[in-house]
Amino acid sequence: MWLPIICFLLILQQLNGEEETRNAADKLKGHLEAIGSQGTFLGNIPELKFSPDGKYFYKNFIHGREPVVIRNAASHWLAVKNWPNETYLNLTYGELPFTVHMYKVYRDALSVRKDMNLSHFLEIYKEQSVYLDSPFPPSNLINEISLPSILQCKEISSTISDVYLLMSSGNTSSPLHHDGYENILAIISGTKKVILFKSSYSENVYADEFNVLPGLSPIDPEKVDLEKFPKFADVMYYESVLNPGDILYIPQYWWHHVTSAGAPNIAINIWFDMFNYEEQFESAGLKESQDVVKTTELFEKLAKEEPQSIECKEQAPALDQALKIVLNDSSSESLRIPKVAKRPADFKLISGYTMPPLGFGTAGLHPDDRLPVILTALDEGYRLFDTAQIYGTEVPLGAAIKERNIPRDDVTIVTKLHPQYHGYESTISAVQESLENLQTDYIDVFLIHTKYCDGGYFKCPEGKPEGTWQDSWRAMEHLHDEGKIRSLGVSNFDVIDLRELVNFTKLPVSVVQNWFDPFHQDENVREFCGKHRIHYMGYSTLGSQWTTYGGLESNPVLTSATFFEIASHYEFVVAQVILRWAIHLNITVIPRSHDPRHILLNFKTLDMELSEHEIKLITEEWLPSTSQGTEQESESLGTNDEEPADLEGPEAREENDDNHVTSDGNKDEL
C-alpha cells in the first residue's frame, strides 16, 4: 500500500530537483559572458522613420520616459559628410584642443585623461588605446552639426547644457552606466551597439554598490559575474545598432552599455536637463552621490507628474545660440560663453523717418483671423504692419493697436491706394477713410498700390477711376503737407514709371514695394532706388509668385538645395534664411501667416545672421532674366503696361502657411 506512495514521492522529488537545476541554470545563463547574454531580450529599441517636432517628442518620449531611435535624423548634417575624412578634420580643425581618455575598454577604474589637439589625436588614435570624449571647444566645428528638430522647442533647447564629441578607431566598450541628464546620441561615422535597461532596474545593476563613481554599475560588462550579481539575471533589455545619421534618445537614468565598430568612429552627445529635482531630492533626504536607487525611483515618480505637453511657441534656434556661446573665442571655456545677438537697425528713409527691416503682412487673412492674428503679431514684437485698402485689414489693425494700448509712434503703418481711387479728389477721400479705419491721425507710409485697374484682383467699378496715378501722387503730396502722410511711395512700379515719377514729384519718393525673392531680384528697380535713395520693400519674398503666377508646380525658393544646406547648417527653417538674406541686402520684408508659431519664427529672423559667403550663395542661386524690373514686357508672367498681373493677390501673399519648410525638407506644420 505504501509502495506506490513512496514511488510517487521519489518521482516528485526528482522532478523538483530537475526544476531547481533548470532554474539555477537559467539564473546563470550568460555567466561570465559579455552583457546582453543575460536576462530577457525585449527586442530593438523603438524606432521612428521620421524626425518629429519637439511637441511630439516631449509628449511621447521625454514625458513618456521611453527611448527612441530616429533613423537618418542627422543624415543631412555637414558633419556626416565631412568628418569621416581625416584629412579634412586635420586641416580644418587640427589645432582645436580636446580631452582624450587613455583607454577604449572600461576596466572598473577611472581612466587617465590627457589634453591634446585634434591633429595629435588623429596621429595616434588607430595605433593606441585612446578615446576622445570631450566637450566641444568654441569654434566653427559646432556649425557642422544641427540642433535636431526634436530639441527645437524653447522649453527643451533652453535646457541644453553640453555637447560632446566622441571619437575612436572602434572596438570601444563603455561601463554599464546611467546619466544624470537626458541624452541624445547622434552617429556621424561607424556604428554603435547600444543595450538599454529601464531606470527601474537600478537595484538589479547594484547601483548603490558602485566602487568608482555613482551612476557606474560595479558589473563588468565584458564579463558579467552572475554569482556575485545574481539580480542582474532578471533584467529585461533593448538592443539596437546605430548607423551614421541615426539619433538615439536615452532618457535620464536609463542604464546602458555602448560598444563601437568601424574607424573613424564618431558620434555626438547632446545633454539636456529637462527635469531638475535637486530640491525634491534634498527634501526627501536623498543624495544622488549615495542613494542612487531611491533617487532614480523618486525621479521617475516626479517626472510622471509633469505636464503631458508643452506649448512650443518658439523654436528652431541655432545650436550655438541654444548653448549661449561665442564661436572662435579660444579664450572661452567650452560651450559656456553668453552670446548676444545684435538685431539689425531700422532703415532710414529719405523723408527723415525710419522703417523696421521686418514687418507683418496682412494680405489674404481670413476675416475671422484678422484681429487675433494681428494681436498675436503685436504681442510677439512686430512694429511694422503692411496693409492696404483692398486687403480689408485696416480696421482690425487699428483696433488691435488700440486694444494693446501701444503708443502710435511705436508702430509703423504702411497702407496702399486701390487703383479705383486714382485721381486727386478721390485720393483725398480714400486717405481720409484709411485714417478713420486705422484710428490714427497720420499714415507712416502711403503707397500707390498699382498703376492700373485690371479684370482680376484690382478690378474697379464701372466709371472708375476718375483720374490717373499721377493725379493721386499730387494729392498725396498735399496730404503730406497737412501732416496726414509722412512718407510717400509706390508699389508694382517698374523703372520707366519710376523715372517719370522722380521727374515730376515735388517730394522725394521714400519707398518702392515690389515682388522680390532669390529668383526674382528686381535688380534694375533696386539699382534705380539706390541711385535715388529710395528704400526698397519686398513682398512674396518666400517665392509664392512662382506657383501662383509663374506657372511652376513647385516653389523654387523653398526647394532649393542651396537654401536647404544653409538652413540645415544652422538648423533654421528655410523661410528664416531667405528673410534674413533679404534684410542683409537692405530690403524690408513683410511675411504673413495665420499660424502663431510661424509668426514668431519669422520675427526671430532678426536674431540670426548669415555669413558673407552664405549671402553670396543665395544671391548667385538666382538665374537672371531680362524681364526683372526692366522696361521690357514680362512675358513669363503675362504682364505688360496695359494689364499688370495680380502681383499682390491673397494667394501670392500666403507664403508662410503652406510653405514654411524646415531645414530637413518637411512642412513645418506637424
Side-chain angles (χ1 to χ4, degrees):
M1 175 178 179
W2 292 101
L3 184 60
I5 296 175
I6 294 173
C7 291
F8 174 78
L9 292 175
L10 289 173
I11 294 172
L12 183 61
Q13 183 179 9
Q14 181 179 359
L15 292 173
N16 287 337
E18 292 175 355
E19 180 67 22
E20 290 176 2
T21 301
R22 282 196 297 270
N23 289 339
D26 288 341
K27 287 290 185 181
L28 289 176
K29 185 188 70 171
H31 176 55
L32 299 182
E33 295 179 16
I35 197 169
S37 301
Q38 311 78 22
T40 303
F41 174 54
L42 296 173
N44 291 333
I45 300 169
E47 292 186 10
L48 291 177
K49 294 183 179 180
F50 69 98
S51 188
D53 64 1
K55 290 186 69 173
Y56 182 97
F57 177 64
Y58 172 87
K59 179 179 180 180
N60 292 279
F61 300 103
I62 297 178
H63 185 270
R65 312 309 301 153
E66 293 291 339
V68 65
V69 173
I70 307 175
R71 297 294 183 185
N72 297 310
S75 59
H76 64 286
W77 291 5
L78 291 176
V80 176
K81 174 184 176 182
N82 294 334
W83 294 2
N85 186 330
E86 294 178 33
T87 301
Y88 171 84
L89 286 177
N90 197 16
L91 292 176
T92 311
Y93 303 112
E95 295 304 312
L96 295 181
F98 292 94
T99 299
V100 176
H101 296 250
M102 307 307 289
Y103 80 96
K104 291 172 62 175
V105 177
Y106 176 72
R107 292 302 181 195
D108 200 24
L110 289 175
S111 67
V112 175
R113 305 182 188 188
K114 292 185 179 181
D115 292 331
M116 63 182 70
N117 63 28
L118 186 58
S119 289
H120 185 197
F121 175 79
L122 291 172
E123 290 176 4
I124 66 172
Y125 89 109
K126 289 184 178 178
E127 306 297 331
Q128 299 184 26
S129 181
V130 291
Y131 184 33
L132 190 156
D133 183 353
S134 175
F136 271 71
S139 69
N140 286 321
L141 182 68
I142 204 167
N143 281 337
E144 298 203 22
I145 65 176
S146 302
L147 185 64
S149 63
I150 57 176
L151 302 183
Q152 288 181 11
C153 291
K154 186 176 181 181
E155 294 94 327
I156 304 173
S157 65
S158 63
T159 70
I160 295 175
S161 60
D162 294 281
V163 177
Y164 270 57
L165 176 65
L166 312 176
M167 186 172 181
S168 72
S169 60
N171 300 314
T172 64
S173 177
S174 76
L176 175 58
H177 67 289
H178 74 195
D179 303 311
Y181 294 90
E182 310 287 344
N183 182 8
I184 297 295
L185 177 64
I187 310 302
I188 306 299
S189 177
T191 63
K192 289 188 182 294
K193 182 176 76 172
V194 181
I195 297 176
L196 269 178
F197 309 85
K198 287 187 175 183
S199 61
S200 57
Y201 287 117
S202 293
E203 189 172 352
N204 297 74
V205 301
Y206 300 84
D208 285 344
E209 297 180 25
F210 62 88
N211 49 29
V212 179
L213 290 171
L216 299 185
S217 168
I219 297 173
D220 181 357
E222 296 297 308
K223 196 175 184 179
V224 178
D225 189 339
L226 290 177
E227 292 181 346
K228 186 176 181 180
F229 305 110
K231 294 179 181 179
F232 189 75
D234 296 324
V235 299
M236 293 185 283
Y237 64 95
Y238 296 100
E239 178 179 316
S240 285
V241 174
L242 307 178
N243 301 308
D246 293 342
I247 282 178
L248 166 64
Y249 164 60
I250 303 175
Q252 185 170 341
Y253 293 133
W254 273 56
W255 295 91
H256 51 285
H257 174 250
V258 183
T259 55
S260 63
N265 195 282
I266 307 174
I268 298 296
N269 274 135
I270 302 177
W271 309 94
F272 59 106
D273 193 16
M274 193 72 204
F275 305 131
N276 189 316
Y277 301 130
E278 290 181 2
E279 293 183 3
Q280 290 90 331
F281 295 157
E282 184 177 350
S283 298
L286 301 177
K287 293 183 179 180
E288 288 184 89
S289 60
Q290 297 177 4
D291 309 303
V292 180
V293 174
K294 290 184 177 179
T295 295
T296 302
E297 290 174 352
L298 181 56
F299 178 91
E300 292 295 330
K301 177 179 180 295
L302 294 171
K304 291 179 181 178
E305 297 173 357
E306 293 287 342
Q308 295 185 6
S309 62
I310 55 177
E311 290 186 358
C312 196
K313 291 179 64 177
E314 179 178 349
Q315 69 170 13
L319 185 55
D320 58 336
Q321 292 178 353
L323 292 163
K324 298 188 171 98
I325 64 170
V326 173
L327 303 180
N328 300 317
D329 185 354
S330 59
S331 66
S332 305
E333 294 182 2
S334 296
L335 306 184
R336 285 293 183 273
I337 308 303
K339 184 179 189 300
V340 180
K342 185 177 181 181
R343 289 185 171 181
D346 290 353
F347 296 119
K348 186 72 175 289
L349 304 182
I350 196 172
S351 61
Y353 296 98
T354 60
M355 173 179 285
L358 183 142
F360 186 75
T362 65
L365 291 174
H366 189 278
D368 293 340
D369 291 338
R370 290 168 183 169
L371 180 59
V373 163
I374 294 171
L375 287 171
T376 298
L378 282 168
D379 293 342
E380 297 298 353
Y382 288 84
R383 291 299 181 265
L384 166 64
F385 289 84
D386 180 79
T387 182
Q389 294 165 349
I390 198 172
Y391 298 165
T393 52
E394 287 184 335
V395 170
L397 176 57
I401 294 171
K402 182 177 181 180
E403 182 173 330
R404 288 296 185 260
N405 197 29
I406 296 175
R408 176 64 183 85
D409 286 345
D410 290 353
V411 181
T412 299
I413 297 175
V414 179
T415 191
K416 298 181 275 296
L417 181 73
H418 193 291
Q420 68 174 313
Y421 300 124
H422 286 175
Y424 190 93
E425 294 298 334
S426 52
T427 297
I428 298 290
S429 299
V431 170
Q432 185 59 44
E433 183 177 350
S434 290
L435 290 169
E436 294 172 1
N437 289 340
L438 293 163
Q439 303 185 50
T440 183
D441 296 327
Y442 65 90
I443 295 168
D444 296 278
V445 181
F446 193 80
L447 309 177
I448 294 174
H449 205 156
T450 187
K451 295 170 290 184
Y452 307 106
C453 299
D454 60 24
Y457 187 59
F458 291 110
K459 186 176 182 179
C460 297
E462 186 176 351
K464 299 290 184 177
E466 298 174 355
T468 65
W469 68 261
Q470 293 89 343
D471 298 328
S472 292
W473 185 269
R474 293 186 180 93
M476 290 161 57
E477 290 180 323
H478 172 73
L479 292 166
H480 172 273
D481 293 341
E482 291 187 341
K484 296 181 178 179
I485 298 175
R486 288 186 168 182
S487 302
L488 283 61
V490 294
S491 181
N492 300 313
F493 270 49
D494 54 27
V495 171
I496 190 170
D497 299 304
L498 289 172
R499 186 176 294 119
E500 177 185 352
L501 175 59
V502 299
N503 285 334
F504 80 77
T505 182
K506 296 177 182 179
L507 294 174
V509 182
S510 293
V511 174
V512 167
Q513 185 184 116
N514 277 4
W515 167 25
F516 174 84
D517 68 41
F519 297 100
H520 188 280
Q521 297 186 25
D522 205 14
E523 283 193 325
N524 288 285
V525 168
R526 287 170 52 219
E527 181 181 0
F528 183 92
C529 289
K531 291 179 179 178
H532 293 82
R533 298 176 58 195
I534 303 171
H535 182 61
Y536 189 93
M537 294 181 70
Y539 67 76
S540 295
T541 306
L542 301 181
S544 59
Q545 288 285 342
W546 294 105
T547 53
T548 306
Y549 299 111
L552 301 184
E553 293 184 359
S554 62
N555 184 335
V557 175
L558 298 176
T559 55
S560 164
T562 299
F563 306 160
F564 271 89
E565 183 174 352
I566 295 171
S568 63
H569 184 83
Y570 295 105
E571 202 63 24
F572 294 130
V573 295
V574 173
Q576 289 175 305
V577 170
I578 300 306
L579 294 173
R580 191 62 179 93
W581 162 77
I583 294 171
H584 276 299
L585 298 182
N586 297 320
I587 294 168
T588 290
V589 290
I590 46 172
R592 56 126 284 178
S593 177
H594 75 284
D595 186 289
R597 187 161 63 96
H598 294 168
I599 292 171
L600 176 60
L601 285 175
N602 288 338
F603 191 70
K604 287 297 180 180
T605 296
L606 299 174
D607 293 328
M608 61 176 281
E609 289 185 356
L610 300 176
S611 68
E612 291 184 7
H613 176 65
E614 289 160 342
I615 295 169
K616 185 172 183 288
L617 283 176
I618 297 173
T619 303
E620 292 183 350
E621 186 81 350
W622 172 48
L623 300 176
S625 70
T626 59
S627 62
Q628 296 190 61
T630 68
E631 300 172 26
Q632 302 180 23
E633 294 182 354
S634 177
E635 296 180 358
S636 64
L637 295 180
T639 65
N640 54 46
D641 286 347
E642 282 69 44
E643 190 174 352
D646 300 343
L647 293 179
E648 280 193 294
E651 300 87 353
R653 298 294 293 277
E654 292 184 4
E655 300 174 315
N656 292 60
D657 294 326
D658 297 323
N659 298 315
H660 216 279
V661 180
T662 59
S663 55
D664 63 3
N666 296 319
K667 294 285 186 178
D668 195 22
E669 291 191 76
L670 299 176

